Amino acid sequence: MFHAPALRSWISSSRSPIIMASKSKTHRLHQLSGTALQSIAKRPRTITTESYMKDAFANYAGYLNELNEKRERVVKSSRDITINSKKVIFQVQEYVEAATFCKFCRTGTLLDLEELNAGLLPLSDPAIEPLQINVFDYLLGLADLTGELMRLAIGRISDGELEFAEKICRFSRDIYRELTLVVPLMDNNSDMKTKMDTMLQSVLKIENACLSVHVRGSEYTLLGSSDPSFLMGVPDMQS
């Protein structure tokens, strides 16, 4: 039979290699894991998304630059359209003024809008929509007509044609009176109001010139047609 102390001694001696081997293996594992952690800690850190972010923001910058270039082209085109539109509008006002003035000089009557647009049809390309002047542009051009009528009246008075000058005076007065009834009905009438002030000055100058011939006829006879300056005695009205 084995004695208890001897048995414990035998068990301890027989298991010690296994235990030592296990401890040695565990120690090696700790060493390996520690070495791995140290190598990971010493390895330089890199951001894997750095290249992606650079590419993405480069694309954003390129998109914004292209958008800005398109915007500049649109702004420039819009500016050119506005400038050309103003030129066209100005030329249409000038055309209305010239056409109505020509009609008055020939017949002593007013060229209406329907007749004016009818005269434009032969000048239009049949393949596209014909050029037609609207009511607003017609009235703007008509308001400018009195300036030419005023100069015509002064010239006729200087030539001794008082009767024709008085006809111009009545014609200009009638246009002004009718326009004063129409202008309040116009939505955007700021330009028209300015023209109406100028138109009133022209009408007053025509009236004053005709009146001056009647009141100061003797002076006019002495001055003759060389100096009609006294006929322009109406000062410009302040708006």
Side-chain angles (χ1 to χ4, degrees):
M1 294 183 65
F2 289 99
H3 295 283
L7 181 60
R8 287 194 296 270
S9 176
W10 180 82
I11 292 173
S12 299
S13 61
S14 62
R15 293 181 61 182
S16 59
I18 298 175
I19 294 173
M20 292 299 294
S22 177
K23 288 183 178 180
S24 176
K25 185 177 181 181
T26 303
H27 181 68
R28 287 197 299 272
L29 289 175
H30 283 295
Q31 286 181 340
L32 291 174
S33 62
T35 303
L37 291 174
Q38 288 178 358
S39 63
I40 292 174
K42 292 180 180 179
R43 187 182 302 169
R45 296 181 179 180
T46 58
I47 302 176
T48 57
T49 60
E50 181 178 358
S51 176
Y52 168 76
M53 290 178 63
K54 286 183 178 180
D55 294 340
F57 278 91
N59 292 333
Y60 301 154
Y63 172 79
L64 293 176
N65 288 333
E66 184 179 358
L67 186 63
N68 288 332
E69 291 177 358
K70 289 182 179 179
R71 179 181 177 276
E72 290 298 325
R73 290 196 295 268
V74 171
V75 170
K76 183 180 183 302
S77 299
S78 176
R79 189 183 302 115
D80 293 340
I81 291 173
T82 301
I83 293 174
N84 292 330
S85 298
K86 290 182 178 179
K87 290 180 179 179
V88 171
I89 292 174
F90 177 78
Q91 291 174 357
V92 170
Q93 290 172 5
E94 290 294 320
Y95 176 77
V96 172
E97 179 183 357
T100 52
F101 182 71
C102 180
K103 177 65 179 295
F104 176 80
C105 291
R106 288 179 176 179
T107 64
T109 59
L110 177 64
L111 178 68
D112 59 29
L113 180 58
E114 183 178 357
E115 185 180 358
L116 179 66
N117 283 328
L120 292 175
L121 292 178
L123 304 178
S124 303
D125 187 351
I128 60 176
E129 183 178 356
L131 173 63
Q132 295 286 274
I133 296 174
N134 57 40
V135 175
F136 183 76
D137 291 334
Y138 172 74
L139 294 178
L140 288 175
L142 198 60
D144 292 334
L145 173 62
T146 54
E148 294 299 326
L149 293 176
M150 183 267 295
R151 284 181 281 273
L152 178 62
I154 299 302
R156 290 303 176 92
I157 292 175
S158 300
D159 294 338
E161 300 181 26
L162 179 59
E163 183 177 354
F164 190 76
E166 290 177 343
K167 182 178 180 179
I168 296 174
C169 182
R170 291 190 297 269
F171 182 74
S172 301
R173 193 186 298 129
D174 291 342
I175 293 177
Y176 178 78
R177 183 184 64 250
E178 296 300 327
L179 285 178
T180 56
L181 302 176
V182 176
V183 171
L185 304 178
M186 301 170 66
D187 293 333
N188 185 11
N189 59 359
S190 57
D191 292 339
M192 195 63 182
K193 286 182 178 179
T194 302
K195 289 181 178 294
M196 289 297 290
D197 293 337
T198 304
M199 187 178 185
L200 178 59
Q201 295 178 23
S202 298
V203 173
L204 291 177
K205 288 179 179 179
I206 297 173
E207 291 179 344
N208 182 74
C210 294
L211 182 62
S212 297
V213 173
H214 288 286
V215 175
R216 305 170 62 183
S218 58
E219 295 181 21
Y220 175 74
T221 302
L222 293 175
L223 289 174
S225 61
S226 61
D227 186 13
S229 59
F230 76 95
L231 301 176
M232 305 291 293
V234 177
D236 291 341
M237 297 178 61
Q238 297 295 327
S239 57

